[in-house]
Amino acid sequence: MRSMEGIVTIVQEGRFQLTDDVGVSHLCILDRNAAAEPGQLAPLQRRQARVRVRYTRPRNLIGFLIHSVALAG
């Protein structure tokens, strides 16, 4: 499993956009078994919080499948 840090910039239900340190935005989709809930994403976006996500990149999705979201620090 890979990890990445960035800023939560857009949220819609269980999907969000994460912008990394070089300015690239990534589509992120919460896994149904993720260690995070969709309701936790909007406050992160409002704060423009820097987070670390653990993800996989499935062949059948355009974005990253997110398994955990934590505040970076």
Side-chain angles (χ1 to χ4, degrees), residues 12-61:
Q12 183 183 32
E13 298 172 359
R15 298 176 299 274
F16 62 100
Q17 179 175 286
L18 186 73
T19 303
D20 66 21
D21 293 336
V22 294
V24 176
S25 295
H26 305 275
L27 173 62
C28 299
I29 303 156
L30 279 181
D31 180 63
R32 64 178 169 219
N33 299 317
E37 296 291 327
Q40 296 172 308
L41 297 173
L44 295 173
Q45 186 270 327
R46 282 193 296 274
R47 291 178 26 212
Q48 297 286 285
R50 182 171 182 76
V51 297
R52 174 181 290 275
V53 297
R54 292 181 59 224
Y55 68 93
T56 55
R57 189 168 195 165
R59 286 181 276 142
N60 62 342
L61 291 176

